[in-house]
Amino acid sequence: MEEEMKTLVENNILVVLPHPDDEAFGVSGTLAMHVQNGAKVTYACLTLGEMGRNMGIPPFANRVTLPEIRKKELEASCRAIGIQDLRMLGFHDKTIEFELQELLDERIDALLQELRPSLVITFYPGYSVHPDHDACGAAVIRTVGRLSEKERPLVHCIAFAKNLEQSIGNPDIINNVRDFLKQKMSSIEAHRSQFQAAELLGSKKLKPREIQDRFGTERFWTYSFK
Ligand SMILES: [Zn+2]
């Protein structure tokens, strides 16, 4: 019985996403849940989202101050979720698809070797709408795919393209994160420069029931390397 429990509990998770705030809507509740269950979470964020067009409502950032502001927002989001280890990899925003693949793969491989995660979370390449998301997911899948089957962690992918179920089927992991909405909402609100939603939540325009319906579930596709 105890053995069985252990297989369900992830103890070492690596999250690889390209932008500060990518963690907030799709995965923060799941990560907060794993942290509460004792997992160590490392979040490798490829860029600082410094090319983002949003500067806050009303604006409080500008092109010069945005990177530092987004860095602080990312740190606050990680604190809200309980992420213990944040790595900012320093790639340029909006250009991940043009990075040398070798360079991206090398950095991701170094993390895999150092951390030996049991679970990796990233975007599903081809089904994640933004070119940076797709390029990030593709790099993770390439790099994890080079590991031997024995060394290979599970990979859970976030995806949100239109009609994606027709291509990749239904998500096989559906997490109810209603017990972790406090952490999730704090993560979303931390990204003040980016989300109008944060303003919306901050002024309590959403009823608790609406928050549960909108944010209470997170879905993942386990990547098949076969
Ligand atoms: Zn993004």
Side-chain angles (χ1 to χ4, degrees):
M1 185 64 194
E2 204 172 308
E3 259 324 288
E4 215 174 330
M5 286 295 289
K6 266 182 205 154
T7 58
L8 294 173
V9 175
E10 296 297 341
N11 50 22
N12 196 3
I13 300 171
L14 172 63
V15 183
V16 187
L17 300 170
H19 308 124
D21 77 17
D22 285 336
E23 79 289 354
F25 285 100
V27 72
S28 61
T30 295
L31 294 177
M33 177 182 78
H34 285 304
V35 167
Q36 183 174 294
N37 289 338
K40 180 185 171 249
V41 176
T42 299
Y43 177 13
C45 191
L46 300 188
T47 81
L48 286 178
E50 69 276 7
M51 297 302 284
R53 292 210 197 108
N54 296 330
M55 298 289 167
I57 302 168
F60 58 88
N62 60 49
R63 195 45 73 213
V64 176
T65 59
L66 189 64
E68 192 56 31
I69 286 172
R70 295 204 71 179
K71 190 175 152 190
K72 291 271 169 350
E73 290 175 346
L74 177 60
E75 287 167 347
S77 167
C78 287
R79 277 196 300 276
I81 297 167
I83 291 172
Q84 308 93 334
D85 182 17
L86 169 63
R87 314 282 179 104
M88 302 189 212
L89 298 197
F91 288 98
H92 291 293
D93 188 20
K94 295 233 162 112
T95 60
I96 297 300
E97 62 183 315
F98 308 114
E99 285 291 343
L100 276 177
Q101 288 192 352
E102 294 75 19
L103 192 63
L104 266 177
D105 297 6
E106 211 174 88
R107 300 292 299 279
I108 293 165
D109 189 54
L111 288 168
L112 292 170
Q113 300 305 330
E114 177 197 335
L115 302 163
R116 302 274 167 187
S118 54
L119 173 67
V120 175
I121 298 177
T122 191
F123 280 116
Y124 206 119
Y127 298 95
S128 299
V129 176
H130 189 295
D132 279 356
H133 297 173
D134 287 331
C136 172
V140 172
I141 296 300
R142 266 197 315 271
T143 309
V144 173
R146 279 189 209 111
L147 300 175
S148 72
E149 223 169 298
K150 226 176 105 215
E151 301 176 292
R152 202 179 289 152
L154 270 177
V155 179
H156 289 173
C157 297
I158 308 162
F160 48 82
K162 258 190 198 156
N163 304 325
L164 78 173
E165 279 89 354
Q166 286 161 14
S167 310
I168 58 173
N170 292 319
D172 57 318
I173 313 275
I174 298 175
N175 289 335
N176 176 343
V177 300
R178 288 178 177 205
D179 289 344
F180 300 93
L181 284 173
K182 192 174 158 275
Q183 291 93 322
K184 183 169 184 165
M185 291 307 151
S186 299
S187 161
I188 293 170
E189 284 178 62
H191 295 288
R192 285 183 58 229
S193 69
Q194 299 307 300
F195 294 135
Q196 226 170 334
E199 302 303 313
L200 198 73
L201 296 165
S203 59
K204 306 273 185 277
K205 281 179 192 148
L206 286 179
K207 295 195 180 76
R209 184 59 207 264
E210 291 172 306
I211 291 180
Q212 289 197 352
D213 290 347
R214 257 172 78 171
F215 302 104
T217 308
E218 292 175 354
R219 318 181 311 155
F220 301 91
W221 284 256
T222 301
Y223 194 86
S224 168
F225 287 91
K226 298 252 154 56

